[in-house]
C-alpha cells in the first residue's frame, strides 16, 4: 500500500513577501483611525464627507508616462494589483504626470494596454461600487499648489533665489552640513508674494525654486530643504499652458498618495531616504487639515533585475533611438510590448514575478527563471507542429513504385497536442519530396549519430521508416539533396509500424504542401549577464547575433494560423506568429525560446 500523501505546506511554498506581514498587521490593528473614502481622490473634507472605505487597503501603480513599461514595472504592477486582490483592496493606476517635458499620450495609452494585458483591472470590484481607479497626478495641481501656499504660511517653505550652483555648493555632502540660504529667513508674506510671482510667470525659468524649510544640517541630505516647485514653461499633455511652475516628484508623490487615500505606498529601495520627507510633508498637511488621516505609509522593496536585460527607460530609449533594435516592441526588448510580441504570455510573466518574492534586496534574477515559467505555461497549451528551419530536400526514390504514382499523396496525421485530445489531429501528407533539417543527414556519421547516413534507417515522424541511400551534390561539393527509399508497411499507427526498429526520428514537411515562412530567430540582446553593471557602457556588450532571419518550411496546419498564436515546433522550441508582420499569405514566426534551458550554457 502506498503512503498517504501529505499536502505540501502551502505557507512554506509561498515565496517570501514581507509586505504581506505588514498588511496583515495593519488589517488586524486597523490603521490608527477611521478610513473614509469620498468615492475618488480629494482633500481631507472630501474624504471626511464620504462613507467608510469599502476597500480594505489601497495600493497604486504610479508610472510616469515617459516611456514604455518594462519587465521591472511588471514586478511593481503584479505586486500592487496582486496585494489589492488578495486582501480585498483596490489598486489605482495613476499616471505620475507632473513633469511636463517628456510625457506623451502615446505612453499613457500603451501603459493602460499593457497593465490590462498582464491581466489586471483598475476598475473597483462591483461590491465596492462602480468606479474606475484611473487617475492623473496632474489633476491634483490645484491642491498641490494650495499645499505649497499652506507650507509657506506656516513658515515651512520658502522661495530660494540662489543660483543652482550656489544651491548645490550650499547643500554640503555626507561629511559636511549644508549652509542656510540667505533667502531662507525672509518673512512668510514675502515668500508667498514671490511664490505667486513664480506662478504668474513674472520670473524666468530656473530663476528661483520653492524649498521646504527643514534642516540644512540633517544627516539625510534629502531633508536639507528639498525643492518643492520649479519654474518651467512647458506645455503639459493634460493641463496645457495653465501652469508655468511644476511640483517636484518628492513633493507631488506623497500628496498624490494621500489624496487617493493610498494605505500602502510601495516603491523601490532608492526611495528609502525620501521616506522621512514623505512623512514630514504629510504630517504637516494633515495638521493643516489638507489631507485626510490616517496617512499613507511608504514601503520599499528591492527592484527586479533580470540577467541579460537592462531595465531603465533611459537605456531602453537609447536602444530604440540609436537603432540598435527596431522600436520599443522589438521582440528582443524587455519592454512588455516587446515581450508580448516575442511570445511571452502574461501568465508566464506573472508566475516569474510571483516566484521571485518580494525582499529588501535588489536581486538579480536569472533569465532562465522567466524562460522556465514560459515553458511551463506553453507546454500544456501550445499546439505542436513540424517545421524545418534549415532545409535540405529529401527525395524518396521508390515513392512511385510503392504508391503507384508520383502524384499520390499519402495522408498522415498526428495529435495537435500529446496530452490534449480535445485539440484534435493535424493532417498532412507525404509526397515524393520532403524538406528535412540539414543536420539530419551526415555523409560520414559521427559516433552515436542515429539519423540519416548511407545505409541507415530512421523514421519520418508520424510517417514511414526510410532508408538513406546517399546524396546529391553541386559542383562546389555542397549537398543539394538527400536520397532515401521508403520501407513499405511501416507507417506510424499501422500494425507494421514496429516491424522495423530504428533509433532516429526526424521531422519533415512535404515539399508539395510546405508553407514557406519567415522565421526570426532571436537570442539574448547582450553578451553579458549584467550588461550595465559597474557603470559599464551596455552598448559595448550588445550581442551582434541577437537576430537571425531564415526561410523555413511549416506543415500545412499553420497556413491559417492567426497572428499571436503560439506553437511548439517539434525539436526546435516555441514560436509565435508575429503580431505585426504575420499574414496568412506571408507567415512570419518569432522564436520565443528553445525547449530546454539555453541560458546557463
Ligand atoms: P526607469 O528607471 O526605468 O525609468 P522608473 O522607476 O523611473 O523606471 P516609473 O514610471 O517611475 O519608472 O515607475 C513606475 C513604478 O515602477 C515605480 O513605482 C517604480 O518603483 C516601479 N519600478 C520601476 N522599475 C522597477 C524594477 N526594476 N523593479 C521593480 N519595480 C520597478
Ligand atoms: Mg521614476
Amino acid at each position: 500500500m502506498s503512503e498517504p500523501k501529505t499536502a505540501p505546506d502551502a505557507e512554506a511554498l509561498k515565496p517570501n513577501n514581507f509586505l504581506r506581514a505588514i498588511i496583515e498587521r495593519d488589517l488586524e490593528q486597523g490603521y490608527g483611525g477611521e478610513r473614509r473614502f469620498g468615492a475618488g481622490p480629494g482633500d481631507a473634507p472630501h474624504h471626511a464627507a464620504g462613507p467608510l472605505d469599502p476597500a480594505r487597503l489601497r495600493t497604486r501603480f504610479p508610472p510616469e508616462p515617459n516611456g514604455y513599461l518594462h519587465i521591472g514595472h511588471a514586478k511593481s504592477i503584479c505586486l500592487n494589483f496582486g496585494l489589492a486582490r488578495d486582501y480585498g483592496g483596490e489598486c489605482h493606476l495613476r499616471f505620475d504626470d507632473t513633469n511636463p517635458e517628456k510625457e506623451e499620450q502615446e505612453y499613457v495609452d500603451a501603459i493602460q494596454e499593457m497593465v490590462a494585458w498582464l491581466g489586471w483591472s483598475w476598475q473597483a470590484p462591483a461590491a465596492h461600487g462602480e468606479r474606475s481607479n484611473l487617475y492623473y497626478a496632474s489633476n491634483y495641481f490645484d491642491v498641490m499648489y494650495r499645499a505649497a501656499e499652506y507650507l509657506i504660511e506656516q513658515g515651512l517653505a520658502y522661495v530660494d533665489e540662489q543660483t543652482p550652483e550656489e544651491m548645490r555648493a550650499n547643500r554640503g555632502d555626507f561629511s559636511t552640513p549644508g549652509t542656510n540660504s540667505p533667502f531662507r529667513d525672509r518673512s512668510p508674506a514675502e515668500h508667498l508674494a514671490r511664490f505667486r510671482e513664480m506662478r504668474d510667470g513674472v520670473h524666468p525659468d530656473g530663476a528661483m525654486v520653492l524649498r521646504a524649510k527643514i534642516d540644512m544640517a540633517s544627516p539625510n541630505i534629502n531633508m536639507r530643504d528639498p525643492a518643492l516647485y520649479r519654474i518651467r514653461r512647458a506645455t503639459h499633455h493634460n493641463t496645457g499652458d495653465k501652469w508655468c511652475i511644476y511640483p517636484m516628484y518628492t513633493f507631488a508623490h506623497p500628496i498624490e498618495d494621500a489624496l487617493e487615500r493610498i494605505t500602502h505606498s510601495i516603491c523601490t529601495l532608492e526611495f528609502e531616504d525620501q521616506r522621512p520627507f514623505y512623512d514630514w510633508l504629510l504630517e504637516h498637511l494633515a495638521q493643516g487639515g489638507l489631507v485626510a488621516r490616517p496617512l499613507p505609509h511608504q514601503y520599499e522593496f528591492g527592484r527586479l533585475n533580470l540577467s541579460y536585460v537592462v531595465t531603465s527607460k533611459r537605456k531602453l530609449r537609447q536602444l530604440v533611438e540609436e537603432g540598435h533594435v527596431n522600436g520599443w516592441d522589438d521582440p528582443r526588448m524587455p519592454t512588455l510590448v516587446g515581450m508580448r510580441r516575442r511570445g511571452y504570455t502574461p501568465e508566464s510573466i506573472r508566475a516569474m514575478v510571483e516566484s521571485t518574492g518580494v525582499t529588501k534586496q535588489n536581486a538579480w534574477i536569472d533569465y532562465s527563471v522567466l524562460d522556465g515559467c514560459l515553458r511551463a505555461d506553453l507546454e500544456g497549451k501550445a499546439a505542436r507542429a513540424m517545421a524545418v528551419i534549415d532545409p535540405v530536400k529529401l527525395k524518396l526514390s521508390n515513392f512511385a513504385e510503392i504508391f503507384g504514382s508520383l502524384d499520390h499523396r499519402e495522408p498522415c496525421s498526428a495529435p495537435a497536442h500529446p496530452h490534449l485530445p480535445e485539440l484534435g489531429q493535424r493532417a498532412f501528407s507525404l509526397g515524393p519530396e520532403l524538406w528535412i533539417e540539414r543536420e539530419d543527414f551526415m555523409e560520414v556519421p559521427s559516433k552515436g549519430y542515429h539519423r540519416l547516413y548511407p545505409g541507415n534507417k530512421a523514421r519520418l515522424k508520424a510517417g514511414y521508416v526510410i532508408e538513406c541511400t546517399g546524396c546529391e551534390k553541386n559542383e562546389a561539393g555542397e549537398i543539394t539533396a538527400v536520397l532515401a527509399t521508403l520501407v513499405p508497411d511501416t507507417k506510424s499507427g499501422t500494425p507494421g509500424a514496429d516491424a522495423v526498429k530504428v533509433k532516429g526520428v526526424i521531422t519533415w514537411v512535404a515539399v508539395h504542401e510546405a508553407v514557406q515562412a519567415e522565421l526570426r530567430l532571436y537570442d539574448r540582446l547582450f553578451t553579458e549577464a549584467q550588461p550595465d553593471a559597474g557603470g559599464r557602457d551596455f552598448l559595448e556588450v550588445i550581442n551582434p547575433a541577437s537576430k537571425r532571419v531564415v526561410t523555413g518550411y511549416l506543415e500545412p496546419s499553420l497556413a491559417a494560423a492567426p497572428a499571436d498564436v503560439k506553437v511548439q515546433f517539434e525539436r526546435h522550441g516555441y514560436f509565435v506568429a508575429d503580431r505585426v508582420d504575420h499574414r496568412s499569405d506571408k507567415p512570419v514566426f518569432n522564436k520565443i525560446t528553445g525547449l530546454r534551458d539555453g541560458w546557463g550554457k
Side-chain angles (χ1 to χ4, degrees):
M1 260 183 56
S2 63
E3 297 271 317
K5 285 206 181 85
T6 47
D9 180 352
E11 279 308 307
L13 289 178
K14 259 195 196 153
N16 184 17
N17 182 341
F18 71 94
L19 292 168
R20 290 185 183 275
I22 290 170
I23 288 170
E24 284 163 20
R25 176 205 66 195
D26 290 345
L27 289 175
E28 208 167 283
Q29 301 180 349
Y31 289 86
E34 226 178 32
R35 283 198 316 106
R36 292 186 170 272
F37 184 69
D43 59 9
H46 166 81
H47 288 302
L52 288 178
D53 193 347
R56 297 180 74 215
L57 80 162
R58 288 188 183 275
T59 54
R60 86 285 172 268
F61 173 63
E64 192 180 344
N66 62 351
Y68 283 82
L69 297 178
H70 53 62
I71 185 72
H73 293 117
K75 176 100 198 173
S76 178
I77 293 169
C78 295
L79 180 58
N80 282 294
F81 280 92
L83 290 171
R85 174 200 59 197
D86 293 350
Y87 292 99
E90 294 177 28
C91 181
H92 302 185
L93 174 58
R94 177 204 308 150
F95 288 104
D96 205 336
D97 57 352
T98 53
N99 184 358
E101 281 124 2
K102 295 172 283 171
E103 296 162 358
E104 285 175 31
Q105 189 62 37
E106 174 194 354
Y107 302 130
V108 169
D109 296 339
I111 289 169
Q112 291 185 49
E113 190 185 347
M114 285 299 108
V115 173
W117 176 72
L118 274 179
W120 304 105
S121 168
W122 47 87
Q123 204 62 36
H128 295 185
E130 291 291 314
R131 184 178 46 258
S132 161
N133 286 312
L134 178 70
Y135 302 119
Y136 292 83
S138 55
N139 286 338
Y140 313 147
F141 280 161
D142 286 322
V143 191
M144 290 174 189
Y145 180 82
R146 262 204 285 143
E149 287 209 346
Y150 171 77
L151 293 179
I152 297 169
E153 285 158 5
Q154 297 300 306
L156 296 168
Y158 64 101
V159 173
D160 194 353
E161 297 178 34
Q162 293 184 98
T163 63
E165 295 71 39
E166 286 167 335
M167 262 184 253
R168 209 170 302 124
N170 290 338
R171 190 174 295 129
D173 54 32
F174 285 107
S175 49
T176 332
T179 317
N180 284 354
S181 162
F183 301 94
R184 201 175 192 257
D185 292 325
R186 286 177 169 177
S187 70
E190 280 174 280
H191 287 308
L192 190 58
R194 267 282 188 277
F195 185 53
R196 289 180 177 168
E197 287 172 15
M198 280 172 65
R199 177 198 60 190
D200 296 338
V202 176
H203 302 286
D205 286 10
M208 53 193 70
V209 294
L210 182 72
R211 297 177 75 176
K213 193 191 263 192
I214 310 179
D215 178 8
M216 288 305 290
S218 171
N220 180 346
I221 292 180
N222 293 289
M223 296 297 272
R224 294 183 188 174
D225 294 5
L228 309 181
Y229 261 97
R230 63 196 170 120
I231 307 173
R232 186 80 191 90
R233 286 170 178 78
T235 305
H236 187 279
H237 79 108
N238 182 22
T239 56
D241 293 320
K242 177 173 178 202
W243 297 91
C244 68
I245 55 172
Y246 289 96
M248 306 298 287
Y249 176 88
T250 33
F251 175 71
H253 203 86
I255 297 178
E256 295 159 23
D257 284 345
L259 297 179
E260 290 179 23
R261 221 69 185 91
I262 298 304
T263 57
H264 299 82
S265 177
I266 300 166
C267 61
T268 41
L269 281 182
E270 63 270 25
F271 293 100
E272 194 163 11
D273 288 347
Q274 297 196 6
R275 183 163 17 103
F277 177 72
Y278 185 104
D279 292 339
W280 179 94
L281 176 64
L282 291 186
E283 184 53 40
H284 283 295
L285 297 182
Q287 279 171 24
L290 273 111
V291 300
R293 290 187 196 273
L295 295 171
H297 281 282
Q298 175 182 305
Y299 300 94
E300 309 86 19
F301 72 101
R303 49 191 294 135
L304 171 83
N305 297 297
L306 200 58
S307 65
Y308 297 102
V309 156
V310 295
T311 47
S312 144
K313 270 184 271 188
R314 182 179 61 76
K315 291 173 185 167
L316 296 176
R317 169 170 295 112
Q318 203 178 340
L319 288 171
V320 173
E321 286 177 355
E322 294 180 7
H324 302 288
V325 295
N326 308 318
W328 287 99
D329 69 344
D330 185 299
R332 292 165 292 181
M333 287 283 274
T335 50
L336 295 179
V337 281
M339 294 178 71
R340 176 177 68 173
R341 187 168 174 194
R342 175 72 171 266
Y344 283 92
T345 59
E347 292 83 351
S348 63
I349 294 174
R350 290 201 305 264
M352 185 276 284
V353 162
E354 183 74 21
S355 72
T356 52
V358 182
T359 67
K360 279 275 191 186
Q361 274 85 43
N362 283 324
W364 278 85
I365 304 298
D366 203 83
Y367 203 93
S368 61
V369 175
L370 175 59
D371 262 9
C373 291
L374 194 261
R375 280 189 213 99
D377 183 30
L378 290 186
E379 163 58 28
K381 58 188 189 201
R384 287 8 180 198
M386 286 199 278
V388 177
I389 290 183
D390 182 18
V392 66
K393 205 171 264 184
L394 175 105
K395 296 180 178 173
L396 294 170
S397 51
N398 62 343
F399 188 87
E401 227 167 277
I402 291 185
F403 295 116
S405 156
L406 280 180
D407 297 329
H408 177 79
R409 301 291 174 251
E410 179 64 13
C412 301
S413 71
H417 190 285
H419 310 303
L420 298 176
E422 63 273 25
L423 294 189
Q425 295 283 115
R426 297 135 48 198
F428 42 96
S429 64
L430 190 68
E433 293 193 336
L434 316 176
W435 294 113
I436 63 167
E437 296 292 342
R438 202 162 269 282
E439 63 167 32
D440 284 349
F441 172 76
M442 287 184 96
E443 228 179 338
V444 182
S446 56
K447 197 162 170 285
Y449 188 81
H450 297 302
R451 287 166 275 167
L452 300 177
Y453 56 86
N456 193 45
K457 294 192 184 75
R459 172 170 292 284
L460 294 174
K461 185 151 195 179
Y464 282 74
V465 172
I466 57 173
E467 177 169 354
C468 181
T469 55
C471 65
E472 291 173 358
K473 289 183 186 177
N474 62 15
E475 281 166 12
E478 295 156 349
I479 294 166
T480 51
V482 177
L483 304 173
T485 53
L486 267 174
V487 182
D489 304 323
T490 55
K491 190 176 181 183
S492 298
T494 65
D498 292 329
V500 182
K501 295 277 178 224
V502 294
K503 285 190 174 156
V505 177
I506 65 175
T507 46
W508 57 281
V509 178
V511 169
H512 68 265
E513 63 182 15
V515 175
Q516 190 175 318
E518 177 176 326
L519 303 177
R520 299 174 180 169
L521 309 177
Y522 293 108
D523 197 356
R524 58 192 83 173
L525 187 53
F526 297 100
T527 52
E528 293 289 331
Q530 301 187 3
D532 48 2
R536 172 178 32 218
D537 179 2
F538 65 105
L539 297 177
E540 283 170 11
V541 292
I542 287 190
N543 177 5
S546 61
K547 179 181 182 184
R548 201 155 61 84
V549 179
V550 300
T551 299
Y553 294 103
L554 317 180
E555 67 172 61
S557 68
L558 291 174
D564 210 33
V565 78
K566 284 122 191 138
V567 190
Q568 186 194 103
F569 289 172
E570 294 185 76
R571 292 169 64 183
H572 295 299
Y574 293 100
F575 282 71
V576 61
D578 187 76
R579 54 185 300 120
V580 178
D581 297 329
H582 174 80
R583 306 272 178 280
S584 54
D585 58 344
K586 192 187 163 294
V588 179
F589 280 80
N590 302 325
K591 181 167 185 178
I592 318 174
T593 190
L595 294 178
R596 266 162 252 97
D597 174 23
W599 290 90
K601 281 135 228 152

